Amino acid sequence: MNLRAMKEEVKLFSTPIAAIVEVAIAPSHSGRVKCMGTYWPARLYHNDCNLTLEPNQKVQVVGIANITLLVVR
């Protein structure tokens, strides 16, 4: 089975959750955030924006795709 052909399951949260960027996140590069006391892989929810989130920046987690959190500024 081709893993790229598998559809990514995205779950959006009804209420955003606060997090802090640990490793920079950019449209073409996933990073890491600290959320609820745990470190998670993270990527931008809107990959078409021209935004880079830097370490120590506060973000909002709006959903999850597999084990990767989806964040916005």
Side-chain angles (χ1 to χ4, degrees):
M1 175 184 266
N2 183 347
L3 293 178
R4 290 180 188 211
M6 293 177 59
K7 185 175 180 178
E8 179 179 59
E9 182 179 338
V10 174
K11 178 183 176 190
L12 296 178
F13 302 147
S14 58
T15 305
I17 302 167
I20 305 248
V21 176
E22 284 290 314
V23 175
I25 303 167
S28 61
H29 179 71
S30 295
R32 186 174 67 217
V33 296
K34 185 174 184 180
C35 181
M36 298 184 297
T38 304
Y39 294 94
W40 294 81
R43 66 176 168 88
L44 292 170
Y45 176 58
H46 300 287
N47 268 339
D48 58 349
C49 67
N50 215 7
L51 175 71
T52 298
L53 302 173
E54 299 294 337
N56 298 317
Q57 188 171 355
K58 293 179 183 179
V59 294
Q60 296 292 312
V61 178
V62 296
I64 190 166
N66 298 322
I67 63 164
T68 302
L69 297 181
L70 306 173
V71 300
V72 297
R73 184 176 354 166

